[in-house]
Structures are given as C-alpha cells and as structure tokens.
Amino acid sequence: MIKSFFKTSLTFLSVYCILSVSLFAQVTSETRTNEVRNAESNIRKLLEDAGRSFNEGMLAYEDGNFAEAGAKFNKSVETFLYSTINIQKEARLQGCYNQLIETVYLIEFPSETKLPQIRSLVATCGWNISNEKADRLVSLVRSALSKTPNTAVAANGTAVPRDLQARVGFNTQEFEPSPLDELSKLQLTPEELDVNNPVAQQQYVYIQQAVANRSLGFSFQVHPMIQQYINYYQGRGRKTMEVGLYRSGMFMRMARRIFREEGVPENVAWLGQVESAWKPSAMSHMAASGLWQFIPGTGARYGLRRTAYVDERNSFEEATRASARYLKFLANRYGGNWELAMAGYNCGEGNVDRAIRRAGVANFWAAYPYLPQETRNYVPNILATILIANNPHQYGFGHIRPAAPLVYDRVRVPPSTNLAIIAQASDTTVQYLRYLNPHLRTNQTPPEPYVINVPLNKGNEVVAVFRRMPATNINNNNLANAASGETWQTISNKTGVSVAELMAANPGMKTPQGKVFVPVRGNNVAATSFTRPTNAAAPAAAPGVRTVKARAGDTVRKVAERNGVDATELAKFNGLLPNSVLPAGREIKIPAK
C-alpha cells in the first residue's frame, strides 16, 4: 500500500516537473520572441523616421528651399543620434547612418569627382524612394557645379561675385537657441532628486573620490545636487548629454589646448557644453552668442570685436581664449574657487559679490540661496557634466563616439578679400568657408589683414596665391585650375580672356601651371573645380600605398578581405569603421604591407 502510494506520488511528481519545465521553456521562448519582435519594430521605426525626413529634404531641395532641405537632412541624421538604440551594435543602422552622413555632406558640398550616391543609400537603409527621384536629385546637385558666378561691380570698381555656386551648400547661418534658456527653467523631478537609492549612492562615492584625489585637475565641494543632475542626465536629459558628448569631439581638443595655455584647468572647458551644446551659432534670449555665450559687453571687454564684418563671439579660437581668460580672472577674484568663478561667468561678478556678502562667506553653496535661479542650476550642471565626460562608462555613456575634431589651417589674408577667391584658392566653397568662420558676417573679410580658417592642408596654397598677386588686384580676378599640358591659348578659349590679359595677370609664369589668375572683367570663367573638404588629416602617403575602388554593396571589411589586409587597420587608415558601407566607386587607400 505504502509502496504503491510512493510509486503514484513519484509518477505525479515526474509529470508535474515535466509540465513545469515545458511551461517554463514556453514562457521563456515567448518572452524572447517578444523581445526580438520589439527590437525589430524599434529598428524599423527608426529607419522609417530617418527616411521620411530625408525624403522631405529631397522635396525641399527640388523646390529650391535649401534652408528647409538642410534642416530636414539634419533631422534625418539626428533621428539616429537621438535614438536610444545603440546603432554601433546594429549592422543595418550603422551602415545606414554612416552612409547617410556621407550623402548629406556630398549634397551640400559636392564635387565633380564626388557626387552623392543616393541610390546606394536608399538600398542600404531600405527606404521607399524611387530610383528616378534619387537620380533627379543627383542631377540637380550636378547642375549646381556647372553654374558660374555672376559678378557685380561695387562702388570702388571691385568685381564682387554675387552668387557663387548658388546651389552648393544649404547656406544656413541662422542662430540656434542656447541650452541656457531651457536650463533657467529646469525643475528636477522627485526621482531625480533622490540620491539615496543604491546606484546614486555608489556614484556619489565616486564624486567624493574624484574630489579627494583631485583627478579632475581642480577642487570643488561635494554636494548632493551634483548627483541630482547626474540623475537627470541618466534619465530625461540623456539625449542632451549624448548629443553634447558627440559634438564635443569637434571642439574639445582645441578648448583643452587653449585653456591649458591660459592656465585654466582643462576640465573647466566642459562649461562649453552647458553654454552652447558646442554649437557656434547658439544664441540666448539675453543676446549671448557663440560657443561660450558672450554677451556683447563682456565679449568686447575680452577683445571680441563686433563690426559690420565680424562678430568674434562666434569665432572658434578667439572666443575660446577670451572665455579662458575671463574664467581665470574670476577664479583669481574668488581666491581660486572655481565654483564661484563658474557662477560669475553665468550671472556676472556683481551678482556673485552681492550673494557672497549676504552669505558672509566666499562659498558657492553658502551663497546659493542668494544667486539667480539659472546660476543655481548652472554650476552643479557643469560639475555633473565634467564627471560624466571624464568617466562616461561609469554613467552609461560609454557607447558615444565623439565627432572627429574640426581641423583647419589658419592664414592671414589681405584686407577686404572676397571669400570667393579664398574658396577657389583652397579648392572649396564659400559656404564651407563660412562654416569654418562663423564669425564672418559677410562674404568679405574685414578691411585690414585678417586671420581666417581654411580647409586643412590648404593654407600653403592660399598663401602662395596671395604672394603672386598684389592685394589691390586680388578681388579683380578669379582662379582657374590649369590642367596638365594646357596653354594660355586653351585657357583663353575657355574663359574668353585674351592671352595677353592672362599673361599680364600671371607675371613670370611662362606656361600655365596649377592655379592661374583670370581677370574677371568681361570674362565668363568657370568656377574652380571643387573637392570635398575634410575635417581630419589624411594619412601620409607612403611607398607602396595603392588605391582601389569599392564595388556596390562593399564594406570596409569586404575590401580588406579582398586585398588581404586587416579590416581594423584599413578602417583607421581611411578614417572609417570596419563595417562602414561604401558607395560604389568610393576610393579606398590600401596601406603597404
């Protein structure tokens, strides 16, 4: 009886276990299937949203609304940037994103040898855009390159190009809202204010350690509000932080160098992220402008000029140096207290002085109740940003790849030089020069010798052009690229300028070589041939380096395998990623083995 009972019980238990395992397996399988399905849905939606914005940009470009086209193309790129999906781990998204950036750039800054590969982009991203529509846009971009600049004669008799490359570049020089406007209204939620949960407590210990060992290069007082802003950036402020960390790559190397030269802790330069999100065109409701948000009075105090020709608050290096000097002045004023220096940068030393008098001690947290609301948010916000930027993995931002540094050459040009001639001398466009020089208010440099930024490795060419021609005649000429074997007669045939005039404009040059001056009066010279400017230094040429062209559907890894080289090294050599999708015809340099 007992034996039978145990046998029955064991049988029941076995059946129960089998059913339980089966049910558990079924639930696990269904859960995983749902997770995969949700992930696929999110990826599909991201691609659809990006494609919709890109398509709207194409329509705006066809209608001649280039500012709107630029905004829509930027929105297409930002769809990836603002997404919570890690695009570097999804091959489809990574390929689409990399090719999208390349395509948008080539729509804005095309050349005869590099036109946007829109068909390839559409295929990579799986967008529903017809080949006819893609080809029509490429045709419009190509037609822009054939346009010649019209010229007008100014009152002083100087010929001024009126519409150089009218459809090259989106020509968007508008100001963008400063993040300081939102910061002044920011209210932290109860969840963000909570610093007692285990994760926040662990991160708070890290802040204490960073301050104790001075690993950030300067000292500050540990306060729970710093952790509260870290909580904010790990939650609803995540996209703001991600975009800021990405854009910081363009300017932070330059900012660190200048702050170091001026004797300011390098990490204090992260103030730029809170001020402008690293946007040179940012402007606040208080008329503060540029990367470092100078108001006119403070900018002038530190040597940033505002004239009909320039607003140097929007410059890269000059405004950065002015910012470092102002911060150093403030730190010296407050006995080396960088929290008070940051507060003074935001609301002015007068407000900080009054807050200190009311608090009775030169301490930011003691003066905190007496400072403007924006400044109360501002200082802990910067300290939170510095902590996250110095240890992004600690705070969940390790997946962000900063943008490539914005690199360029700096050259001094003659007074009142038109940007058209500088663009031709540096093989770029007026629009790209304006991008590199956001402080220029017109297409002409100030009426005195002036230093401007030109594309990397083009500085010597620009200087060489100006050395050959007196400054008074610079704006009376265009430049043409002389092909190998050309004569003055062939250039005369193309431009409508006589051989005698051409030779007079290029004294000492027996046969045309490189860039030659062509008098603008009465000629129909075609614009110089443009090449895509780059923000990164090209690898130095080495013996044995050869160039191959990518095939349709190629990635860097496929090209590497075909040529027997390491994919990672090949990617680095060409400034790409191993999984970067390459448009057909893209030239790839193969390093010597």
Side-chain angles (χ1 to χ4, degrees):
M1 180 74 175
I2 295 174
K3 184 177 181 181
S4 175
F5 171 78
F6 276 112
K7 184 177 181 181
T8 303
S9 299
L10 288 170
T11 303
F12 174 76
L13 184 60
S14 299
V15 171
Y16 175 78
C17 289
I18 292 170
L19 288 173
S20 298
V21 171
S22 175
L23 182 61
F24 175 77
Q26 183 178 358
V27 171
T28 302
S29 176
E30 289 179 357
T31 301
R32 289 177 178 171
T33 301
N34 288 335
E35 289 175 351
V36 171
R37 188 181 297 116
N38 289 338
E40 286 290 331
S41 176
N42 290 336
I43 291 172
R44 187 165 55 252
K45 184 177 186 307
L46 192 159
L47 289 171
E48 289 173 355
D49 291 346
R52 186 181 307 110
S53 296
F54 187 84
N55 185 53
E56 291 170 353
M58 294 176 69
L59 293 173
Y61 193 96
E62 289 184 8
D63 290 339
N65 191 344
F66 306 121
E68 177 71 10
K72 293 298 183 181
F73 289 142
N74 285 341
K75 185 176 179 181
S76 182
V77 173
E78 289 171 354
T79 301
F80 289 87
L81 284 177
Y82 288 8
S83 170
T84 56
I85 301 173
N86 186 344
I87 64 173
Q88 300 300 331
K89 290 186 177 180
E90 292 290 338
R92 279 181 296 167
L93 297 183
Q94 185 188 53
C96 180
Y97 173 72
N98 290 338
Q99 200 167 338
L100 173 62
I101 291 177
E102 175 80 359
T103 303
V104 171
Y105 194 99
L106 289 177
I107 292 173
E108 187 169 15
F109 301 113
S111 72
E112 295 291 353
T113 58
K114 284 184 178 290
L115 289 169
Q117 303 293 318
I118 297 178
R119 280 197 186 194
S120 178
L121 172 67
V122 169
T124 299
C125 300
W127 293 339
N128 185 24
I129 297 175
S130 68
N131 288 341
E132 291 77 9
K133 188 171 185 178
D135 294 344
R136 190 161 62 245
L137 185 64
V138 174
S139 178
L140 287 172
V141 172
R142 183 185 290 111
S143 69
L145 293 172
S146 64
K147 289 182 178 292
T148 57
N150 297 319
T151 58
V153 179
N156 62 4
T158 300
V160 181
R162 185 183 291 125
D163 188 27
L164 178 69
Q165 296 295 310
R167 297 191 74 165
V168 179
F170 304 129
N171 199 24
T172 52
Q173 289 289 109
E174 300 93 349
F175 288 98
E176 303 176 72
S178 165
L180 291 177
D181 292 342
E182 289 299 319
L183 179 63
S184 64
K185 298 177 272 185
L186 182 62
Q187 296 289 332
L188 296 177
T189 66
E191 292 77 14
E192 292 160 354
L193 293 170
D194 179 17
V195 296
N196 295 317
N197 64 76
V199 174
Q201 284 288 305
Q202 183 181 4
Q203 293 175 351
Y204 195 56
V205 170
Y206 168 71
I207 299 176
Q208 294 170 319
Q209 293 172 343
V211 172
N213 61 25
R214 298 179 65 88
S215 62
L216 299 174
F218 70 103
S219 182
F220 57 89
Q221 184 177 336
V222 178
H223 191 278
M225 185 170 282
I226 301 172
Q227 181 60 46
Q228 290 168 355
Y229 273 96
I230 290 174
N231 293 346
Y232 164 74
Y233 281 124
Q234 290 177 313
R236 62 187 173 122
R238 173 171 289 276
K239 291 178 181 177
T240 300
M241 178 58 66
E242 288 180 337
V243 172
L245 291 176
Y246 169 77
R247 290 188 59 85
S248 72
M250 300 173 68
F251 301 104
M252 195 58 188
R253 187 170 73 180
M254 175 266 296
R256 283 186 180 278
R257 170 179 59 80
I258 291 176
F259 274 50
R260 182 170 61 251
E261 291 170 356
E262 295 295 332
V264 177
E266 293 179 30
N267 272 313
V268 175
W270 285 104
L271 172 146
Q273 180 157 318
V274 176
E275 287 284 345
S276 67
W278 303 111
K279 296 178 180 178
S281 56
M283 177 175 279
S284 77
H285 69 287
M286 297 295 291
S289 186
L291 287 172
W292 305 98
Q293 289 293 283
F294 277 102
I295 60 173
T298 309
R301 181 171 147 195
Y302 283 89
L304 301 178
R305 296 185 301 162
R306 294 177 72 230
T307 69
Y309 301 94
V310 295
D311 185 344
E312 291 178 339
R313 297 178 301 159
N314 298 109
S315 63
F316 298 155
E317 305 208 12
E318 290 79 4
T320 301
R321 195 168 297 280
S323 174
R325 289 175 176 173
Y326 184 31
L327 283 162
K328 187 174 182 179
F329 161 80
L330 291 166
N332 289 337
R333 184 185 185 92
Y334 300 119
N337 188 308
W338 287 102
E339 294 152 289
L340 290 174
M342 293 173 190
Y345 193 96
N346 179 252
C347 66
E349 54 264 38
N351 282 325
V352 175
D353 290 349
R354 284 189 290 273
I356 291 173
R357 283 198 297 270
R358 296 183 66 182
V361 60
N363 177 284
F364 173 77
W365 297 108
Y368 178 88
Y370 311 112
L371 289 166
Q373 177 62 47
E374 179 182 316
T375 308
R376 298 182 205 172
N377 292 345
Y378 179 82
V379 174
N381 200 312
I382 293 173
L383 296 175
T385 299
I386 291 172
L387 287 159
I388 292 172
N390 276 270
N391 199 344
H393 291 277
Q394 163 91 7
Y395 296 106
F397 294 94
H399 63 286
I400 300 298
R401 296 170 58 90
L406 186 60
V407 289
Y408 42 80
D409 288 345
R410 289 168 63 79
V411 299
R412 187 181 300 275
V413 298
S416 302
T417 301
N418 199 283
L419 295 189
I421 196 73
I422 303 174
Q424 293 170 354
S426 56
D427 295 321
T428 187
T429 64
V430 170
Q431 285 79 7
Y432 190 65
L433 285 179
R434 294 294 296 270
Y435 174 75
L436 289 179
N437 298 273
H439 54 295
L440 296 180
R441 302 180 74 170
T442 72
N443 285 352
Q444 191 174 61
T445 65
E448 76 264 7
Y450 197 75
V451 175
I452 70 164
N453 306 324
V454 299
L456 188 67
N457 299 327
K458 293 294 183 178
N460 289 338
E461 294 183 36
V462 175
V463 170
V465 165
F466 290 139
R467 281 178 177 169
R468 287 170 41 210
M469 176 64 63
T472 53
N473 292 336
I474 283 289
N475 291 330
N476 292 325
N477 291 275
N478 272 315
L479 289 176
N481 285 335
S484 177
E486 278 203 295
T487 65
W488 291 118
Q489 186 60 56
T490 60
I491 294 179
S492 174
N493 294 341
K494 289 192 301 184
T495 63
V497 178
S498 70
V499 170
E501 289 178 298
L502 288 171
M503 294 184 70
N506 296 272
M509 189 181 289
K510 294 182 179 180
T511 58
Q513 296 176 349
K515 291 181 173 64
V516 298
F517 288 107
V518 179
V520 298
R521 184 169 51 201
N523 78 77
N524 190 30
V525 62
T528 182
S529 59
F530 293 89
T531 56
R532 180 178 185 267
T534 177
N535 286 340
V545 174
R546 56 195 176 88
T547 301
V548 300
K549 289 189 176 182
R551 303 170 186 171
D554 264 352
T555 63
V556 172
R557 193 176 303 279
K558 288 182 180 179
V559 174
E561 291 171 354
R562 199 158 57 236
N563 290 274
V565 296
D566 181 77
T568 302
E569 292 303 315
L570 183 64
K572 289 180 181 178
F573 196 73
N574 288 273
L576 299 165
L577 296 170
N579 292 328
S580 294
V581 177
L582 305 172
R586 169 71 181 265
E587 292 185 348
I588 298 294
K589 292 183 174 63
I590 307 295
K593 296 182 181 179

